[in-house]
Amino acid sequence: MPEDSNTGAPDPRGRLTSRILRGGTEPDPRFTLANERTFLAWIRTSLALLAGGVAVEAFMAELLGPELRKTISVLLLVLALLIGGGSFFRWVNVERAMRRKAPMPLPLMAPVLAIGGALVAAIMVVFVIVRPA
């Protein structure tokens, strides 16, 4: 059984956990569970963006031209990819910060999501304004 890097006592969470979290002390379980809930919220957001990208490409053929449809769909799918992939690294970085009692890292996915969502919304606003009645 691997040892805790701080105390030298056996680490009950295992070798993989010790390698990923790299030392520190075990935080309050409530904070760890809150971190996991936040991770799952990012995953839910990623899945919603993925479903939105697929839906735009599959069901908006009559309303949007092929270039616009593809642009919006790709934007949503790329956002889903970035949010889904980034959520794991966010979870690990927050868990490490809690274990070391260090300041929390900046949520870099938030501006990506905000800018990407605003870009898709801006495209749709322009489409609605320009579209003949």
Side-chain angles (χ1 to χ4, degrees):
M1 182 175 282
E3 294 179 354
D4 187 328
S5 62
N6 291 334
T7 63
D11 188 350
R13 294 180 78 180
R15 183 173 298 174
L16 180 62
T17 303
S18 296
R19 292 188 81 176
I20 291 174
L21 298 179
R22 298 187 212 149
T25 58
E26 193 70 30
D28 187 328
R30 293 174 295 176
F31 300 141
T32 297
L33 293 172
N35 190 26
E36 288 178 7
R37 285 192 299 273
T38 304
F39 168 74
L40 293 174
W42 284 113
I43 293 295
R44 274 194 312 271
T45 302
S46 173
L47 290 174
L49 291 167
L50 178 68
V54 170
V56 166
E57 183 59 29
F59 301 117
M60 301 292 280
E62 294 179 14
L63 185 62
L64 303 174
E67 294 85 19
L68 183 58
R69 191 177 69 238
K70 186 172 283 192
T71 300
I72 293 172
S73 180
V74 167
L75 272 171
L76 291 171
L77 294 173
V78 167
L79 277 173
L81 177 72
L82 293 173
I83 298 300
S87 63
F88 171 74
F89 296 105
R90 170 77 182 156
W91 174 81
V92 167
N93 288 333
V94 168
E95 192 70 22
R96 286 176 182 162
M98 287 191 305
R99 292 176 69 88
R100 294 184 183 126
K101 301 188 183 342
M104 294 291 156
L106 282 176
L108 296 178
M109 292 186 309
V112 170
L113 183 61
I115 292 169
L119 190 59
V120 171
I123 290 171
M124 289 307 297
V125 165
V126 170
F127 170 75
V128 168
I129 290 172
V130 172
R131 182 175 177 226

